[in-house]
């Protein structure tokens, strides 16, 4: 564990806590894409299966259980909780996220480290996580005034993988033959997708104006 | 390569 990875995990944790706070306290999911939440639930379900087969550390197990629990809880709130679901703008959240799942799965069948069930699912989860934010970014462009909590949620979600990139650089230089091309490339693509969001987020923060993404 | 270290990240 290094400070970059810890910062990444804490940023990821914080982003989810922000979203849970928004949904649980003000019972609203306005501006939040259900499709991105469903993709993330699938990412965690396919990546964290190893909590049943192995043990790495208490931290690792607890974080995985929290990510699994929170992602499915958020999807449940947005689909079935009769107050929260009313604030879900489903006619704006129209990104065809199913079109992301199949290509990622096919790519995982073609490009992976080992051709085993767990490894292919793990690789699939990496590819899917790289593109999972797309429905949310599209929805932000359509939502005229993005509320602060949603903006902060997306920012810390994007920041987590950026910290992971620093972690991979750090580990590459401090550990012998440490390289994970698939993880690194997926992480770079994922972070690149946030580039323009980061730009507008910092700009709105600097000018202390509301966050607005150009349509 | 120790598989544990292989998947020690979240």
């Amino acid at each position: 564990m290094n400070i970059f990875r810890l910062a990444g995990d804490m940023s990821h944790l914080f982003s989810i806590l922000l979203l849970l706070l928004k949904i649980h306290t003000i019972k609203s999911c306005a501006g939040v894409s259900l499709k991105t939440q469903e993709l993330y639930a699938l990412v965690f379900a396919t990546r964290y299966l190893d909590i049943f087969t192995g043990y790495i550390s208490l931290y690792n197990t607890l974080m995985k259980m929290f990510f699994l629990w929170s992602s499915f809880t958020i999807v449940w709130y947005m689909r079935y909780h009769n107050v929260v679901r009313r604030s879900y703008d489903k006619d704006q959240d129209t990104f065809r996220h199913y079109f992301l799942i199949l290509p990622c799965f096919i790519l995982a069948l073609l490009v992976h480290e080992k051709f085993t069930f767990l490894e292919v699912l793990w690789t699939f989860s990496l590819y899917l996580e790289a593109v999972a934010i797309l429905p949310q970014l599209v929805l932000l462009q359509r939502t005229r005034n993005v509320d602060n909590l949603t903006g902060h949620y997306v920012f810390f979600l994007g920041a987590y993988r950026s910290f992971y990139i620093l972690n991979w650089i750090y580990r590459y230089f401090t550990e012998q033959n440490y390289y994970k091309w698939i993880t690194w490339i997926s992480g770079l693509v994922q972070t690149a997708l946030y580039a323009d969001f980061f730009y507008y987020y910092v700009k709105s923060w600097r000018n202390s104006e509301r966050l607005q993404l150009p349509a | 390569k120790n598989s544990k270290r292989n998947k020690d990240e979240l």
Side-chain angles (χ1 to χ4, degrees):
Chain A
M1 175 62 85
N2 57 64
I3 48 160
F4 303 112
R5 185 147 73 93
L6 186 62
D9 290 344
M10 291 306 108
S11 178
H12 193 186
L13 180 68
F14 187 62
S15 76
I16 293 172
L17 290 175
L18 279 177
L19 188 53
L20 276 173
L21 180 82
K22 172 184 164 86
I23 289 177
H24 185 71
T25 48
I26 54 178
K27 294 285 183 284
S28 156
C29 65
V32 178
S33 163
L34 172 61
K35 300 181 184 241
T36 285
Q37 300 310 314
E38 287 172 347
L39 289 175
Y40 257 100
L42 184 57
V43 165
F44 294 141
T46 50
R47 187 179 309 177
Y48 295 157
L49 298 173
D50 58 356
I51 53 174
F52 304 114
T53 60
Y55 178 81
I56 291 169
S57 70
L58 184 62
Y59 172 82
N60 192 278
T61 304
L62 289 179
M63 290 292 272
K64 287 177 177 176
M65 287 166 73
F66 175 77
F67 287 155
L68 280 166
W69 169 80
S70 58
S71 58
F72 281 94
T73 301
I74 288 165
V75 168
W76 180 86
Y77 261 117
M78 292 182 73
R79 274 182 169 273
Y80 306 114
H81 186 285
N82 55 15
V83 177
V84 175
R85 61 201 288 259
R86 277 208 294 267
S87 57
Y88 169 52
D89 28 9
K90 62 172 154 309
D91 44 8
Q92 292 271 45
D93 189 19
T94 57
F95 194 100
R96 279 186 280 278
H97 60 324
Y98 294 113
F99 285 14
L100 295 173
I101 296 172
L102 194 62
C104 288
F105 187 69
I106 292 167
L107 187 59
L109 287 174
L110 298 175
V111 181
H112 45 260
E113 278 177 21
K114 286 186 313 227
F115 193 70
T116 64
F117 177 72
L118 276 181
E119 189 69 28
V120 169
L121 281 189
W122 183 81
T123 311
F124 163 69
S125 82
L126 277 177
Y127 297 147
L128 190 63
E129 188 189 2
V131 293
I133 197 62
L134 283 173
Q136 178 63 64
L137 292 177
V138 166
L139 182 62
L140 286 185
Q141 283 177 337
R142 293 181 180 158
T143 312
R144 289 322 305 153
N145 58 341
V146 177
D147 70 273
N148 286 342
L149 274 175
T150 308
H152 297 328
Y153 160 69
V154 176
F155 174 76
F156 285 104
L157 189 57
Y160 120 78
R161 215 60 179 166
S162 316
F163 282 122
Y164 258 74
I165 291 171
L166 299 179
N167 153 64
W168 292 324
I169 294 168
Y170 175 83
R171 292 187 75 175
Y172 176 77
F173 286 112
T174 55
E175 294 174 29
Q176 274 71 30
N177 77 353
Y178 175 82
Y179 52 85
K180 299 165 70 122
W181 301 123
I182 292 175
T183 311
W184 293 351
I185 292 167
S186 308
L188 283 169
V189 167
Q190 180 171 338
T191 304
L193 291 177
Y194 284 84
D196 73 331
F197 171 82
F198 282 149
Y199 170 75
Y200 289 107
Y201 180 86
V202 170
K203 195 161 129 260
S204 79
W205 174 68
R206 274 229 180 93
N207 309 349
S208 64
E209 64 199 10
R210 288 195 73 78
L211 173 64
Q212 272 196 337
L213 293 178
Chain B
K1 182 164 60 165
N2 162 359
S3 67
K4 266 205 188 349
R5 288 191 56 69
N6 191 12
K7 296 277 186 306
D8 62 343
E9 293 179 350
L10 289 175

